[in-house]
Amino acid sequence: MAYTAYKLNVPCQLFIPTYVSDIMLKKIRSFGAEITIVGHDFEMANAEALKFVEQNPDVGFIHPYDHPAIWDGNSTIVEEIKTQLNGMKPSCIVTNVGGGGLLLGILKGLQKSMWVDVPILAIETEGADCFNKSIKAKKIVEIEVTSIAKSLGARSVAPTLMEMYPEFNLTSKVLSDKVAVKGCIRFAEEHLFLVEPACGATLAAVYDNLIPSTLKENKSQHSNNGGPTVLIVCGGSDCSPVQLRKFAEQFELPC
């Protein structure tokens, strides 16, 4: 958001919760955005942002995940996949899910590409698993976020996601924070990229060979079209070697 405002040369004020790291605060401020730190989670920060907009009607409001423009933007990921695979369908798409903005974009992209039958594995971490809990309850469930994967830290998912997901070949899976961190460490070792635990959970689906058994549990399976498994590797802005080592020490993992 801060980067986009900087490129468009428009003012930007972000309302963010207290858990946002110094790394992210520094990056946001480098683009000239004004920051208001309030509340211990996203919902509290969002509530303050809405109050500000109500008091300042000339100010626009952009929700980080629950807005059609966000979904449409994220839907282009599928267009890129289709181009890079020369039209070949993936055998499976693996992604993480927090509030649902990324996943809704992928679903809408699959609709546009006529790929609604492609299996999707949606990964969350324990303590940031509002989507999985909502699926099981068959209604939106609000949770208290306790996971270290703060990028997934929405108390509840976008209502549109609950309306859309039954139309797709989607499986929900919840992993521990420790497994997510293991994914981060292995990705760093093998590809020299740092990613957050939110993304490490996605990577763990491959590193821990979870895809076949998880899809089978949901009576789903890989497409038999010979296409590759596609992982949406996102969420690297809030990670550093120091932070990754701290996570490794927390879960007694070699790093």
Side-chain angles (χ1 to χ4, degrees):
M1 188 81 69
Y3 174 76
T4 301
Y6 168 76
K7 295 297 288 185
L8 295 175
N9 194 29
V10 296
C12 175
Q13 181 168 356
L14 299 182
F15 288 75
I16 59 178
T18 55
Y19 64 71
V20 174
S21 69
D22 290 339
I23 294 174
M24 290 304 299
L25 292 176
K26 183 177 180 180
K27 289 182 179 180
I28 293 169
R29 290 188 173 115
S30 72
F31 293 115
E34 183 179 344
I35 297 175
T36 298
I37 302 174
V38 58
H40 68 263
D41 64 11
F42 161 74
E43 274 71 15
M44 295 179 70
N46 189 61
E48 288 300 316
L50 290 173
K51 287 182 184 178
F52 180 82
V53 172
E54 185 177 348
Q55 295 166 1
N56 299 271
D58 293 335
V59 175
F61 173 74
I62 301 176
H63 196 283
Y65 63 83
D66 192 7
H67 194 284
I70 301 296
W71 313 333
D72 288 343
N74 288 334
S75 73
T76 62
I77 293 173
V78 180
E79 296 173 20
E80 294 175 18
I81 293 170
K82 191 170 187 177
T83 298
Q84 292 182 24
L85 295 182
N86 296 315
M88 177 183 289
K89 281 186 181 181
S91 61
C92 180
I93 294 177
V94 186
T95 185
N96 57 33
V97 53
L102 174 59
L103 182 53
L104 274 164
I106 292 170
L107 298 185
K108 287 185 173 291
L110 292 173
Q111 279 183 330
K112 294 176 187 176
S113 298
M114 306 298 287
W115 281 0
V116 294
D117 58 329
V118 172
I120 307 159
L121 182 54
I123 307 286
E124 296 169 280
T125 51
E126 294 170 356
D129 51 347
C130 59
F131 182 44
N132 183 270
K133 282 184 166 57
S134 296
I135 289 174
K136 291 177 178 177
K138 298 183 179 180
K139 63 179 182 180
I140 293 178
V141 173
E142 186 171 297
I143 66 168
E144 194 67 32
V145 179
T146 57
S147 171
I148 64 170
K150 299 303 182 183
S151 296
L152 305 182
R155 286 191 207 166
S156 59
V157 295
T160 303
L161 180 57
M162 294 301 294
E163 296 169 6
M164 281 191 68
Y165 89 85
E167 303 172 18
F168 294 83
N169 188 5
L170 185 147
T171 300
S172 171
K173 181 71 173 180
V174 180
L175 303 178
S176 68
D177 281 343
K178 182 175 182 177
V179 170
V181 172
K182 283 173 63 180
C184 295
I185 294 170
R186 186 163 172 183
F187 194 62
E189 292 173 344
E190 295 184 358
H191 297 280
L192 304 181
F193 277 99
L194 292 174
V195 294
E196 302 167 30
C199 185
T202 299
L203 294 163
V206 170
Y207 290 143
D208 286 23
N209 196 32
L210 300 174
I211 298 174
S213 60
T214 302
L215 294 180
K216 185 177 180 181
E217 288 173 9
N218 199 44
K219 298 181 180 179
S220 181
Q221 59 184 359
H222 275 76
S223 297
N224 57 7
N225 55 30
T229 294
V230 174
L231 276 70
I232 309 300
V233 181
C234 66
S237 295
D238 193 12
C239 193
S240 68
V242 172
Q243 183 62 68
L244 186 56
R245 281 194 292 270
K246 287 181 179 179
F247 285 145
E249 291 171 1
Q250 179 178 343
F251 296 106
E252 299 180 343
L253 294 170
C255 181

